[in-house]
Amino acid sequence: MEGYSGVGAQVHTWSAPSQPPYDLANAQVAYGWTAADNIRPWAHDDSVFAMGHFLQIPTAYMTSGACGYVYDSLLLYDTVSQTNFWLQVCHFDTRGTPDDEYTAWDEGTNSAFFTSYFGSDTQYVTKSPYSYSSTGTTWSDWHFYRFHVSHSQISQIAAKINSEQGTSLSTNPSNYRLDLLTVQNEIYCPVGTNGHLGMSAYDIYLYEEYGVGSGPVVPEPATIAMSAFALMGLAGIAKKKINSRRS
């Protein structure tokens, strides 16, 4: 990790249990933007938005009834309907390799979410050819993960959420503003269950590509630091604040 900054966290519900009626415990690194920043990931007709980083998940243990998972998430704000939704892509799940794309409702934030995974057969997000796939097995070395969401894919995601969750999200991708990103580990732990789940991540970045003519550019991991910096400058995307929090 020389030359890079990283973050590590472990959720351990024996020492920090969730309190009823809450049944989730998580740790996350989050990057946020204000409304004034007006970050528009799909501002162009050929926009492709990407998120990538290196990750390790060296430890996970759950008692019966609990489960743990690790995922990337983007909080997107629809400036037309003035509502949020979460776009999540899962790296790891103790129940087995993630292999589904679905929508649901998050009672904690009172908003819809869409979840996908890192795989070769997804419809709504695209795994980078250099990215590892989702798994249900822990590992201790560094794995590179990156996903891409095109202009048409974000429109399909909004339409799917509207159909399944009864929302009225815009299907025009240019109407979406990015407010927050997270990389987080989370444990579902109903009363009487427990678990621990550790993760570390570094070199977390985002970029938008447009006007390239032949689809998304996918630099190899070794060239990411330079490429991401250049592309983020081109697209006008900049990190405003960084914080690590547990909720």
Side-chain angles (χ1 to χ4, degrees):
M1 287 177 57
E2 183 178 356
Y4 297 95
S5 59
V7 61
Q10 179 166 243
V11 177
H12 192 285
T13 64
W14 281 276
S15 58
S18 60
Q19 299 296 321
Y22 303 105
D23 54 12
L24 295 174
N26 71 59
Q28 60 184 253
V29 56
Y31 296 70
W33 294 266
T34 67
D37 294 318
N38 197 30
I39 304 300
R40 303 287 180 128
W42 298 277
H44 306 86
D45 289 344
D46 60 347
S47 293
V48 177
F49 193 64
M51 177 175 177
H53 56 84
F54 289 86
L55 181 71
Q56 60 180 196
I57 303 174
T59 177
Y61 174 78
M62 306 291 147
T63 63
S64 179
C67 62
Y69 36 89
V70 178
Y71 58 92
D72 296 334
S73 67
L74 302 175
L75 179 60
L76 299 170
Y77 179 75
D78 174 12
T79 57
V80 175
S81 67
Q82 299 185 345
T83 54
N84 296 316
F85 81 88
W86 297 92
L87 192 166
Q88 304 175 163
V89 185
C90 191
H91 315 86
F92 168 83
D93 195 311
T94 59
R95 293 166 292 187
T97 300
D99 61 357
D100 192 16
E101 293 184 293
Y102 62 92
T103 72
W105 192 263
D106 180 22
E107 294 182 1
T109 60
N110 194 33
S111 56
F113 66 86
F114 167 82
T115 298
S116 185
Y117 61 97
F118 293 86
S120 60
D121 55 352
T122 52
Q123 176 180 347
Y124 299 93
V125 304
T126 302
K127 181 178 74 72
S128 166
Y130 301 108
S131 174
Y132 274 81
S133 296
S134 299
T135 182
T137 305
T138 58
W139 70 93
S140 57
D141 54 343
W142 290 107
H143 288 184
F144 172 67
Y145 282 92
R146 181 172 62 211
F147 67 90
H148 305 259
V149 183
S150 70
H151 194 269
S152 61
Q153 284 174 320
I154 196 64
S155 180
Q156 293 175 49
I157 289 171
K160 182 176 177 67
I161 293 173
N162 287 341
S163 174
E164 298 178 1
Q165 300 301 323
T167 53
S168 299
L169 294 168
S170 172
T171 55
N172 182 344
S174 64
N175 289 330
Y176 286 95
R177 187 183 76 209
L178 175 62
D179 284 356
L180 184 74
L181 75 83
T182 75
V183 180
Q184 62 180 296
N185 58 352
E186 187 168 271
I187 295 176
Y188 169 66
C189 48
V191 174
T193 69
N194 281 291
H196 67 75
L197 176 60
M199 73 163 191
S200 298
Y202 80 92
D203 197 19
I204 303 167
Y205 69 94
L206 303 171
Y207 63 83
E208 177 201 8
E209 293 173 336
Y210 59 92
V212 296
S214 59
V217 176
V218 283
E220 294 185 56
T223 68
I224 282 171
M226 182 178 296
S227 299
F229 179 81
L231 289 166
M232 287 170 70
L234 173 66
I237 297 172
K239 290 182 286 188
K240 289 295 293 183
K241 59 183 179 181
I242 303 174
N243 60 77
S244 181
R245 65 183 177 88
R246 185 183 184 282
S247 58

